[in-house]
Amino acid sequence: MMDAAGNAARAQVKSAISSWLTAIQARDADAIIAHYTPDVVAYDAVLQLQFKGQQAYRDHWKSCFDMCGGPMVFEPGELDIQVSGDLASIHGLIRCGGSDEQGNVQSAWMRMSSSYRKSGDKWLIAHEHFSAPFDMMSWKAMFDLDPENPDKVRAIPSGMSTVTPHLVCANAADAIAFYKRAFGAIEMGRLEGPDGKIAHAYLHIGNSAIFLFDENPQWGALGPLALKGTPVSLHVYVENADEAAKKAIAAGARLIMEVQDMFWGDRYGLLEDPFGHRWSVATHIQDLSPEEIKKASAVMMTEGACGGEAPQGA
């Protein structure tokens, strides 16, 4: 049982948490950072792995405000608060997020743990950690979980993203075999119709899903070969674009544009697979500002720096 001093300390910590939440709602970075020790170490779920010191964490809070043009959402559930001497630990779930300038709110339940240290008459955060579980299939954070309804069916199934390419292929079985050789695709499942053709197949390439099926003229579903071209390309980021292109070409892809350094900071090349679908492979090699990209683009357009066809989307 906690004694009177312990109860008083716990009340002080609860007051510090309330003051911290008020500063967040006010979008006041200086007031927020005043709740942390100078040597704070923090781990957030966005932007980078860790933050050391008040200034680094203040800059992070400012970045969060820049991402959310409207009011912030920070609504803790039931928090467990333990106090021992001049130290306190807090853990629990908190709904975090924000709204844009049009009032559209995006938020998610996350796990929060904090360590407080008493400094004079104040309780300050010395360590803070926000995290979310992640989906092992897609390596994406699971921001749609609800502690009040843990058994609900997820609107976006495990392994899926918001947008998923759905390819029509002449001979989908051969296409699946090619994507395995060329891009290291993993087959998650397939459904064959009575005629043996693939009505639906589900692949994973890296952390992304792809659907495909056999073309069917009766449904108006034709692949690029039948249509004699495609206006769409699938853009794939890889660790080494040169090696990825070589692997795909060895598997049977046709080179459209050689891999080369591009004005927007990627090393980029364009391929066409044996089924008429186009794939761009890229490795990001340089972070550039919008102004730098615009300037480099003007130089490229003037000098005609790209070999082969123009990059799709440029």
Side-chain angles (χ1 to χ4, degrees), residues 9-34:
R10 191 173 188 276
Q12 291 170 357
V13 172
K14 290 182 68 175
S15 177
I17 295 171
S18 178
S19 175
W20 172 74
L21 291 170
T22 298
I24 293 172
Q25 294 297 335
R27 299 170 59 92
D28 187 337
D30 290 329
I32 293 171
I33 213 64

Side-chain angles (χ1 to χ4, degrees), residues 262-264 295-306 310-311 314:
M262 300 304 296
F263 64 85
W264 58 84
K295 182 178 179 180
S297 173
V299 172
M300 186 207 76
M301 297 300 179
T302 301
E303 298 179 354
C306 288

Side-chain angles (χ1 to χ4, degrees), residues 263-265 286-298:
F263 64 85
W264 58 84
Q286 188 177 11
D287 292 327
L288 298 173
S289 68
E291 293 75 18
E292 290 172 321
I293 293 174
K294 184 176 181 180
K295 182 178 179 180
S297 173

Side-chain angles (χ1 to χ4, degrees), residues 75-259:
E75 301 170 353
E78 184 176 351
L79 298 178
D80 183 86
I81 302 174
Q82 301 292 330
V83 180
S84 178
D86 290 342
L87 299 176
S89 65
I90 295 91
H91 65 84
L93 299 178
I94 184 168
R95 181 180 287 279
C96 301
S99 57
D100 59 24
E101 295 176 352
Q102 287 72 45
N104 300 309
V105 178
Q106 284 192 326
S107 63
W109 283 99
M110 301 183 68
R111 301 172 292 205
M112 182 187 80
S113 61
S114 301
S115 298
Y116 279 72
R117 183 194 309 152
K118 192 171 186 181
S119 178
D121 61 349
K122 295 182 179 180
W123 285 91
L124 302 177
I125 304 169
H127 171 80
E128 187 170 78
H129 196 136
F130 293 96
S131 66
F134 68 93
D135 177 12
M136 290 289 289
M137 292 178 64
S138 65
W139 290 86
K140 294 181 174 65
M142 300 167 69
F143 287 126
D144 58 341
L145 301 183
D146 184 352
E148 297 177 357
N149 189 8
D151 297 323
K152 77 171 184 178
V153 176
R154 297 180 65 197
I156 301 175
S158 175
M160 302 303 298
S161 300
T162 305
V163 178
T164 303
H166 204 155
L167 307 183
V168 181
C169 298
N171 199 332
D174 285 352
I176 292 171
F178 168 80
Y179 297 142
K180 289 178 179 179
R181 297 193 308 272
F183 302 117
I186 298 173
E187 183 176 345
M188 308 302 295
R190 69 170 74 185
L191 174 66
E192 296 181 349
D195 57 0
K197 290 188 175 182
I198 293 178
H200 177 74
Y202 169 22
L203 308 180
H204 254 261
I205 296 177
N207 63 2
S208 302
I210 291 180
F211 294 161
L212 70 154
F213 64 101
D214 269 304
E215 64 180 5
N216 188 324
Q218 293 179 332
W219 296 349
L222 298 174
L225 296 179
L227 295 172
K228 302 187 184 305
T230 176
V232 176
S233 66
L234 290 88
H235 191 71
V236 183
Y237 273 110
V238 294
E239 291 293 330
N240 188 318
D242 294 86
E243 292 301 319
K246 290 178 183 178
K247 183 178 179 181
I249 292 169
R254 180 171 69 92
L255 181 66
I256 302 297
M257 191 183 97
E258 291 186 1
V259 177

